[in-house]
Amino acid sequence: MQAKSCQRGNSVIPTCLLSLQNSSDKASILAILQVLGDLLSVGTDKRIYYMISKGGSEALLQTLVDTARSASPDWDILLPLFRLLAKVGLRDKKFGQKALDLEALDVTLILARKNLSHSQNLLHCLWVLRVFASSVTTGAMLGINGAMELLFKVISPYTRKHTRTIRAATEVLAALLKSKSNSRRAVNRGYVSSLLRLHQDWHSRDVTNTYVMIRHRLLLCLRHIVILRSGREAFLAAQGMETLFCIAQTCLENKNMELVISAVIQLLRQCYPASQLPLVSASSAYTFPAPGSTSSELPHHLPEEDFDDDGDEEMDKDSDVEAVKEDDDLETDMSKLSSKPGLDFPEEELAQYGAMCPELSCNFEELEPKYGDDLSIKDTLHANHHHIPSVTSLRQHCFNREHSSRQQEREGTVHISILNMVKTGKSQVQSSSKQRSATNVNQRIQQNGLETDSSGHDTSDIQASLEQAAWDIEAISCPRITSSFPNSTKPEESNEAAERLLHTYAKHIPFHDPHLYIAKAMCTRSAVGFKTMAFPDLWGHCPRPTAQPMLDRKLGVQRIKILEDVRRLLQPSDVINKVVFSLDEPGLLQDSISNCLRFYSEFESGNLRKAIQVREFEYDLLVNADVNSSQHQQWFYFKVSGMRAAVPYRFNLINCEKPNSQFNYGMQPTLYSVKEALLGRPAWIRTGSEICYYKNHYRQNAAPMDGASGKRYYTLTFAVTFPHNEDACYLAYHYPYTYSTLMTHLEILERSIDHREVYFRHDVLCQTLGGNPCPLVTVTAFPESNSTEHLEQFRCRPYQVITARVHPGESNASWVMKGTLEFLVSSDPVAKLLRENFVFKIIPMLNPDGVINGNHRCSLRGEDLNRQWLFPQAHLQPTIYHAKGLLHYLSSTGRGPVVFCDFHGHSQKKNVFLYGCSMKETLWQAGCTVGESALLEDVSYRTLPKILDKLAPAFTMHSCSFLVEKSRASTARVVVWREMGVSRSYTMESSYCGCNQGPYQGLQFGTGELEEMGAMYCLGLLILELKSASCSHRLLAQASTLLNADVLECHLQRSSSSSSSSSSRTSEVDDEPSCMEEIDYSADSSSDSEQNFTELDRQIQECAFNNDEEEEKEEGTGWRRFVP
């Protein structure tokens, strides 16, 4: 029935339009307008669009022109006509141009001018002008014809009369000012100060906040104007910053003022004068003479006019052509998606990698562990083969059986629990984790009288000893590499003092040895020659037994911080502005007596370039760019000392680069307290309150006053309350994991395993540009015997290849890798099965130099190594060159990896997930039409993510993506998939933050959860093998004794679909909803309420039923006019 009614209505519309064009008597026109109004007031917008397609807009506009040009315009016709025009015009993209062609713009302006004293008629004119102004082109024409001057006659100072009309006028003005020519005109005629005075008057007198919408529209007018540099200059000259700052102070807590506060904050940020960072240069404070490196200095200052963002004249946003939404980054070239280029390594080059794969040799004697002293590796560059150590120089450490028993005991406990986790299923994992207290995690350490360590031992004696000892906390907290622990004792006693400190306070930490760490740190080479060690890396870290909850975001924290920034500008006398630390000023002394914190970052992985004291307990911090670069400021790791306990200190990192961060969604930085460690609690913990991440006013080499040009920076701000007086604490972006830590860990692993059970080989893949060995680890099981059958099974084991830490700032990847390594060499029966059935080739740190020197993303050449896999060069990107060479070698012998996985960290998404490669999904997502025969593809690339989704508490299939983007063509994942034919080639991303699903929902990742993910990845590989058609009956039988029937039934269905199957077409974008207080810095945001015409529709609908505006009953015939 409804469909038939709609069809009848549609059939009437053309007839009504034809009659309207041919009618001249009032009664007929009114009747036709009534019928059209009734037809368009019911049903959906489809009827309106149908009317537009039949020339409805032209017919109505022509009727308007004809009626208005009569000797005495009939408002009985004009009022319903205006309502129809507004309703139809909202949905006609060409309405403005049609009105311009039929001269309806001038007619409407004339009618408005003649009815300034008749609010009802004027209101209807304003509605139609509002629709006209929605087109930038017609809006500019209205400005030329004096529309803004007319509107300023309507927009009066505060009054309770005609408020609906005044509101409509402010809406029209805001729409007109989206045109840059109108904004220029407004600036030239002094309308900026007029708008500020009008807003100030309405704000001060509207004490009941009845007319918030009018105030908001006035601010919206200013927002459009200040897009222009001249508009910002006029705003500042009119003391707009001071005016709006005062307004924000008075109504910040008023929820009814949300629209006004939001607009005020955006105006303040838009007009805050841009400035350069307080650095001598945007380039890194560290340099390294890397071969072929080029300076990444920024361009010199450009003349100010080159930064003028006024732009060319208007371009109408309402184009005839519909915007085509397509992802230009998706690879759609079939040849690039399916081809496998030939080997770019000559056969003689590939032969060198045979030394790294002795397990493929026929002589079993080569596999036997060798004992003896370490042999040095010569530092060589430039020649391809020189990066590869000779067979005789490969290090073979003897195994330390005494150390082994203690480690095996720990491993058994940990990994049996992991195996139980697999048996009970993902839904049962750490169910108690959901019941964690939301108490501030700092409360435990903020009491100076802590009496027990994490093991429950009494620490009162230790604490008393610590307080009475004559230790120099500054020296202890950042010891020199050569002399260990300098303090007040004589130099010759320093070694004895170090031993006493370790003996008295050190706590056993599995897989860590401070003495060995010192030895490894002494061998580590940095670009600047670090002489000290960070205490947490030396002393070690014990993971917390439970994960910490995400921080609840405090409402209003971002706005408060932005207003504090504005206060600095307006009240500079309140700012100390004292540089207390700077890598650019090596002679700068930090006075231990002065009333300020002391900072330090010149140690491995450290990154802090400058610290400026802003107020007594507030500091601006700047992190260093990557070596030989002027970019990638995100990672930070530094020491701070000289603090007072129970006092909140605020830190503002003001030169971050990423446009958004998980710091806006519950993530906290990490803290390590030296005194807590000496009291038996050596742990990195999440800390910080009132955290937010937002765009600031700093930019690179931009001319002053330009708010659109140049690279913008972001501020991470957080407050920390330290647990002890005069402590030394370390703060970091994420849990640090240094190169020396890795080398220490590998040697302890090598010493602690039972070499009769585990084949563990620590080779050197190559030397880095900085002269550091890049480790290559092989893990498998020795053959059962020297029999031909067992040796053949050994040589035929398939390979699994895992890499990590190509991006230095992604330290979470190293913690996942740590969990992987420890699980693979453990006594866990699942690990034993994996060793017996696979050979694991692991490169745990692809970018040692970047990690050592505190880079966030790059190598010593200032380039992203994960964009160098297509054409790496041995003398420029040695680790990538030789990692790729090793993979090519394995492929050339027919032993390409079953799975290749590169571990990474993700800064804008939660959980753990995989990125893979699929030709079919990429083409489908891009909307390409390709024949079915061309889309034949092995879909096994989805199997491992589905398995991990069921196994690992932190993993989610929902965030996985299998699209191949052009911008990722030179990444490890895509190159290994394309060139070596590895269908299961992945990047595994672990969030810096935590989980928003599963058992860990609402919790931040600790190192324990990340290590667990590494072990879970290994378990996933076992299940993957069990699901494969080639899986041996023996392995199935062995697995069935370890995993119960439910787990086998769940995972061994080779054709089942994942229970959590979701779209794989999720691209690498932020998975978070927009932050409640996200600041939009564009004055022309698509989210502005003026873009939504629902309110105008509602006003028109109300007026159609009630022409009397009861709120606007007045005495007399006019109102006060505002003279701009």
Side-chain angles (χ1 to χ4, degrees):
M1 291 294 293
Q2 290 180 349
K4 290 182 179 179
S5 175
C6 183
Q7 291 175 357
R8 285 197 298 270
N10 287 347
S11 64
V12 173
I13 288 177
T15 304
C16 289
L17 293 176
L18 182 61
S19 300
L20 182 63
Q21 290 173 310
N22 296 326
S23 298
S24 57
D25 62 292
K26 177 178 179 178
S28 299
I29 294 174
L30 285 174
I32 295 169
L33 294 176
Q34 180 66 43
V35 172
L36 289 173
D38 292 344
L39 287 172
L40 300 185
S41 63
V42 296
T44 65
D45 285 352
K46 288 184 178 180
R47 185 169 287 175
I48 299 178
Y49 289 116
Y50 176 76
M51 177 175 168
I52 293 170
S53 70
K54 296 300 180 180
S57 299
E58 292 88 337
L60 294 175
L61 288 168
Q62 188 60 58
T63 303
L64 168 64
V65 172
D66 293 342
T67 305
R69 285 178 174 171
S70 61
S72 179
D74 192 333
W75 283 92
D76 289 338
I77 295 175
L78 288 173
L79 291 179
L81 181 59
F82 273 133
R83 290 195 290 270
L84 274 173
L85 280 167
K87 194 176 209 48
V88 172
L90 292 175
R91 294 155 179 87
D92 188 349
K93 293 184 177 181
K94 300 180 181 179
F95 192 72
Q97 187 60 47
K98 294 174 182 177
L100 193 60
D101 294 341
L102 295 171
E103 300 181 353
L105 296 183
D106 294 338
V107 165
T108 307
L109 277 175
I110 292 170
L111 289 173
R113 288 191 181 98
K114 291 181 177 180
N115 285 271
L116 286 175
S117 59
H118 196 297
S119 62
Q120 184 73 356
N121 296 351
L122 179 59
L123 178 62
H124 282 68
C125 292
L126 293 173
W127 283 342
V128 176
L129 287 173
R130 170 67 184 85
V131 178
F132 290 159
S134 62
S135 166
V136 178
T137 303
T138 51
M141 186 58 65
L142 285 170
I144 293 172
N145 292 338
M148 288 194 294
E149 291 79 357
L150 167 67
L151 294 172
F152 272 103
K153 294 179 181 179
V154 179
I155 304 171
S156 70
Y158 175 79
T159 178
R160 286 183 291 176
K161 301 175 182 179
H162 316 292
T163 54
R164 184 179 296 183
T165 305
I166 293 173
R167 174 179 167 180
T170 59
E171 291 173 351
V172 178
L173 183 59
L176 289 174
L177 289 170
K178 290 167 69 177
S179 158
K180 290 184 178 179
S181 61
N182 285 338
S183 290
R184 289 192 197 95
R185 190 173 291 109
V187 172
N188 294 336
R189 299 187 180 183
Y191 290 163
V192 173
S193 57
S194 300
L195 287 167
L196 281 169
R197 290 200 304 272
L198 279 168
H199 182 271
Q200 178 67 13
D201 185 70
W202 280 88
H203 174 76
S204 60
R205 299 176 65 185
D206 181 21
V207 293
T208 59
N209 294 326
T210 305
Y211 307 116
V212 169
M213 293 303 296
I214 293 176
R215 292 150 65 184
H216 175 250
R217 293 303 190 274
L218 291 170
L219 293 171
L220 205 55
C221 293
L222 288 168
R223 281 189 58 199
H224 292 315
I225 292 174
V226 299
I227 290 178
L228 306 181
R229 188 182 65 239
S230 57
R232 292 190 293 276
E233 290 171 346
F235 180 85
L236 293 175
Q239 295 190 313
M241 296 290 285
E242 292 83 350
T243 300
L244 296 190
F245 179 74
C246 292
I247 288 174
Q249 295 293 312
T250 60
C251 54
L252 191 61
E253 303 296 329
N254 191 335
K255 293 182 180 180
N256 296 325
M257 296 287 291
E258 177 62 29
L259 280 174
V260 170
I261 288 298
S262 179
V264 165
I265 294 293
Q266 298 205 33
L267 267 167
L268 291 173
R269 295 304 301 132
Q270 186 79 12
C271 296
Y272 197 116
S275 59
Q276 294 184 45
L277 291 169
L279 293 173
V280 295
S281 169
S283 297
S284 174
Y286 299 149
T287 59
F288 181 80
S293 62
T294 58
S295 175
S296 56
E297 282 289 345
L298 294 165
H300 298 291
H301 281 291
L302 295 178
E304 186 169 344
E305 58 269 23
D306 290 342
F307 285 102
D308 190 356
D309 54 344
D310 290 4
D312 296 327
E313 264 312 321
E314 327 303 340
M315 179 180 294
D316 201 337
K317 293 183 179 178
D318 302 324
S319 171
D320 319 11
V321 184
E322 290 289 335
V324 179
K325 294 183 179 179
E326 60 182 7
D327 192 339
D328 292 334
D329 193 33
L330 290 178
E331 182 60 76
T332 56
D333 186 335
M334 283 291 294
S335 63
K336 292 183 179 179
L337 284 172
S338 57
S339 65
K340 299 178 185 177
L343 291 177
D344 52 2
F345 282 74
E347 290 187 12
E348 59 272 16
E349 285 280 324
L350 289 179
Q352 62 186 320
Y353 300 103
M356 300 179 187
C357 303
E359 64 274 3
L360 294 177
S361 68
C362 297
N363 186 1
F364 178 62
E365 294 300 324
E366 294 182 16
L367 304 176
E368 294 292 346
K370 300 177 178 63
Y371 304 91
D373 297 331
D374 293 350
L375 298 177
S376 62
I377 301 169
K378 295 183 179 180
D379 301 327
T380 57
L381 290 174
H382 306 299
N384 296 350
H385 65 283
H386 286 168
H387 287 282
I388 305 295
S390 64
V391 176
T392 58
S393 70
L394 296 174
R395 300 186 301 163
Q396 293 279 334
H397 293 296
C398 61
F399 300 105
N400 187 332
R401 297 188 181 218
E402 295 179 2
H403 196 71
S404 173
S405 60
R406 184 172 58 186
Q407 300 294 350
Q408 294 286 341
E409 179 181 354
R410 180 254 180 186
E411 293 161 9
T413 304
V414 173
H415 294 302
I416 286 175
S417 66
I418 292 177
L419 182 57
N420 288 337
M421 183 187 306
V422 177
K423 290 181 178 180
T424 55
K426 177 178 175 180
S427 61
Q428 303 295 323
V429 178
Q430 288 204 10
S431 58
S432 62
S433 66
K434 294 184 177 180
Q435 304 171 2
R436 307 186 198 281
S437 170
T439 306
N440 188 331
V441 297
N442 285 329
Q443 288 180 358
R444 182 183 66 83
I445 66 170
Q446 286 175 359
Q447 306 299 322
N448 290 334
L450 295 173
E451 294 298 323
T452 58
D453 64 12
S454 55
S455 304
H457 299 145
D458 182 34
T459 64
S460 56
D461 293 340
I462 297 177
Q463 185 166 351
S465 173
L466 179 64
E467 292 173 352
Q468 295 172 7
W471 298 111
D472 180 352
I473 195 67
E474 288 294 325
I476 292 174
S477 64
C478 204
R480 292 184 64 82
I481 295 175
T482 53
S483 59
S484 299
F485 295 88
N487 50 30
S488 58
T489 62
K490 297 179 182 179
E492 59 269 17
E493 299 175 358
S494 60
N495 289 335
E496 180 183 347
E499 290 298 328
R500 188 166 68 253
L501 184 67
L502 288 169
H503 177 75
T504 305
Y505 300 110
K507 177 178 180 177
H508 170 65
I509 297 176
F511 296 106
H512 183 72
D513 182 343
H515 297 91
L516 182 58
Y517 182 88
I518 293 172
K520 294 300 179 183
M522 291 176 66
C523 299
T524 298
R525 299 185 175 188
S526 62
V528 292
F530 294 135
K531 299 294 192 297
T532 56
M533 296 174 289
F535 186 89
D537 305 322
L538 168 70
W539 206 254
H541 156 75
C542 281
R544 290 171 54 90
T546 59
Q548 295 177 239
M550 292 182 193
L551 182 70
D552 290 332
R553 184 180 175 87
K554 179 181 177 182
L555 184 64
V557 62
Q558 190 175 77
R559 292 174 177 179
I560 292 171
K561 190 63 189 71
I562 289 173
L563 289 176
E564 288 177 0
D565 289 348
V566 175
R567 185 192 300 276
R568 285 202 216 179
L569 174 70
L570 302 179
Q571 303 171 6
S573 60
D574 186 38
V575 178
I576 298 174
N577 201 32
K578 175 185 177 183
V579 177
V580 296
F581 171 78
S582 176
L583 294 180
D584 301 307
E585 303 175 55
L588 184 67
L589 297 177
Q590 299 190 61
D591 188 355
S592 60
I593 303 176
S594 63
N595 189 27
C596 67
L597 296 177
R598 298 182 293 278
F599 296 86
Y600 190 73
S601 65
E602 295 178 76
F603 47 79
E604 187 175 347
S605 292
N607 192 323
L608 179 68
R609 181 168 182 173
K610 192 171 187 176
I612 305 170
Q613 186 176 19
V614 178
R615 297 185 178 91
E616 184 177 4
F617 303 112
E618 182 177 5
Y619 294 82
D620 280 353
L621 308 178
L622 294 100
V623 294
N624 198 17
D626 285 2
V627 177
N628 282 340
S629 170
S630 60
Q631 303 178 69
H632 310 297
Q633 297 98 323
Q634 205 75 20
W635 168 261
F636 60 88
Y637 180 20
F638 60 89
K639 186 190 78 168
V640 59
S641 57
M643 67 284 291
R644 303 183 203 171
V647 173
Y649 289 84
R650 176 159 293 281
F651 300 102
N652 311 310
L653 283 96
I654 63 174
N655 65 331
C656 300
E657 280 196 347
K658 289 184 176 289
N660 202 355
S661 170
Q662 282 293 314
F663 283 117
N664 272 335
Y665 309 107
M667 176 176 160
Q668 297 171 286
T670 58
L671 177 142
Y672 189 106
S673 164
V674 172
K675 285 191 175 181
E676 281 292 299
L678 296 178
L679 288 169
R681 294 178 285 270
W684 283 99
I685 64 166
R686 301 276 190 169
T687 193
S689 59
E690 298 182 356
I691 301 175
C692 68
Y693 188 96
Y694 63 96
K695 186 188 294 183
N696 59 37
H697 61 282
Y698 292 108
R699 70 165 48 81
Q700 278 189 359
N701 284 23
M705 299 300 302
D706 174 27
S709 302
K711 171 180 161 185
R712 300 301 296 264
Y713 290 101
Y714 296 79
T715 292
L716 164 64
T717 179
F718 57 91
V720 175
T721 302
F722 295 101
H724 301 284
N725 281 316
E726 293 299 325
D727 195 0
C729 293
Y730 287 78
L731 288 166
Y733 184 84
H734 193 70
Y735 308 100
Y737 190 98
T738 66
Y739 172 76
S740 296
T741 298
L742 170 66
M743 301 305 282
T744 303
H745 185 223
L746 291 179
E747 182 155 332
I748 292 176
L749 283 177
E750 194 171 11
R751 291 177 177 180
S752 62
I753 61 174
D754 183 350
H755 67 273
R756 294 167 301 181
E757 296 288 334
V758 182
Y759 174 78
F760 184 98
R761 184 182 180 94
H762 176 190
D763 294 330
V764 176
L765 177 70
C766 63
Q767 294 290 316
T768 67
L769 294 180
N772 295 289
C774 178
L776 169 66
V777 175
T778 304
V779 177
T780 187
F782 279 99
E784 292 183 28
S785 71
N786 288 351
S787 69
T788 303
E789 178 185 356
H790 289 157
L791 286 178
E792 183 63 22
Q793 187 275 340
F794 179 83
R795 282 192 292 268
C796 292
R797 289 175 191 169
Y799 278 83
Q800 303 280 359
V801 176
I802 310 173
T803 61
R805 207 67 185 278
V806 70
H807 293 145
E810 295 170 6
S811 59
N812 40 1
S814 282
W815 289 103
V816 176
M817 178 60 78
K818 181 176 185 287
T820 296
L821 287 167
E822 290 182 14
F823 181 79
L824 285 176
V825 302
S826 72
S827 58
D828 190 290
V830 172
K832 185 173 184 292
L833 276 183
L834 285 168
R835 293 194 300 268
E836 291 173 350
N837 288 275
F838 295 105
V839 177
F840 288 85
K841 288 290 184 184
I842 299 173
I843 307 174
M845 192 171 285
L846 275 168
N847 192 352
D849 292 339
V851 172
I852 292 166
N853 292 285
N855 285 4
H856 178 68
R857 193 169 184 87
C858 296
S859 68
L860 288 182
R861 296 186 70 247
E863 60 188 3
D864 184 345
L865 290 181
N866 203 35
R867 296 297 186 273
Q868 306 299 323
W869 277 78
L870 271 178
F871 306 107
Q873 299 182 60
H875 69 288
L876 300 180
Q877 304 94 18
T879 61
I880 304 304
Y881 179 87
H882 292 296
K884 186 177 181 181
L886 177 61
L887 285 161
H888 269 306
Y889 173 76
L890 293 176
S891 297
S892 70
T893 60
R895 310 299 298 280
V898 178
V899 177
F900 169 83
C901 194
D902 189 19
F903 291 176
H904 282 253
H906 206 289
S907 66
Q908 297 190 50
K909 298 182 76 171
K910 289 186 170 68
N911 311 304
V912 180
F913 49 94
L914 287 176
Y915 290 132
C917 301
S918 167
M919 173 180 65
K920 182 182 294 186
E921 294 193 32
T922 302
L923 293 173
W924 281 349
Q925 179 70 17
C928 294
T929 55
V930 183
E932 287 294 327
S933 59
L935 287 180
L936 293 177
E937 183 177 41
D938 180 4
V939 296
S940 62
Y941 61 86
R942 277 182 161 268
T943 307
L944 181 59
K946 289 179 181 180
I947 292 171
L948 292 174
D949 187 63
K950 293 179 181 179
L951 283 180
F955 193 91
T956 175
M957 183 75 179
H958 179 73
S959 294
C960 294
S961 173
F962 305 95
L963 304 179
V964 180
E965 301 101 336
K966 297 174 186 176
S967 61
R968 305 293 193 275
S970 56
T971 61
R973 164 177 63 99
V974 177
V975 169
V976 172
W977 169 74
R978 181 181 292 158
E979 295 189 14
M980 297 160 208
V982 180
S983 61
R984 299 186 185 98
S985 179
Y986 303 107
T987 297
M988 187 163 79
E989 300 275 3
S990 301
S991 174
Y992 284 107
C993 182
C995 284
N996 60 7
Q997 54 80 42
Y1000 295 157
Q1001 183 174 3
L1003 300 177
Q1004 299 181 81
F1005 285 146
T1007 58
E1009 287 71 36
L1010 294 170
E1011 291 182 52
E1012 175 192 89
M1013 186 63 231
M1016 285 296 178
Y1017 174 78
C1018 299
L1019 299 174
L1021 295 179
L1022 175 64
I1023 300 297
L1024 179 66
E1025 176 65 15
L1026 296 177
K1027 288 170 67 71
S1028 70
S1030 60
C1031 181
S1032 67
H1033 293 293
R1034 179 185 178 186
L1035 178 58
L1036 281 171
Q1038 290 174 315
S1040 65
T1041 63
L1042 298 177
L1043 307 174
N1044 62 29
D1046 292 337
V1047 173
L1048 287 175
E1049 183 179 356
C1050 176
H1051 292 292
L1052 299 186
Q1053 298 174 5
R1054 291 180 170 83
S1055 60
S1056 65
S1057 60
S1058 172
S1059 61
S1060 60
S1061 147
S1062 59
S1063 173
S1064 66
R1065 301 175 183 180
T1066 306
S1067 59
E1068 292 184 67
V1069 296
D1070 185 5
D1071 66 342
E1072 292 291 339
S1074 212
C1075 180
M1076 185 181 300
E1077 298 177 284
E1078 194 93 28
I1079 297 301
D1080 175 19
Y1081 295 89
S1082 165
D1084 187 22
S1085 168
S1086 60
S1087 63
D1088 284 339
S1089 57
E1090 84 270 21
Q1091 295 291 330
N1092 188 344
F1093 290 110
T1094 305
E1095 177 63 19
L1096 182 53
D1097 269 334
R1098 186 190 64 78
Q1099 294 178 34
I1100 295 169
Q1101 190 71 18
E1102 285 182 0
C1103 192
F1105 292 100
N1106 181 13
N1107 288 334
D1108 296 326
E1109 298 181 79
E1110 296 181 1
E1111 67 166 351
E1112 294 187 3
K1113 289 181 180 178
E1114 54 183 318
E1115 298 177 5
T1117 59
W1119 64 82
R1120 289 185 302 151
R1121 293 179 183 173
F1122 178 70
V1123 180

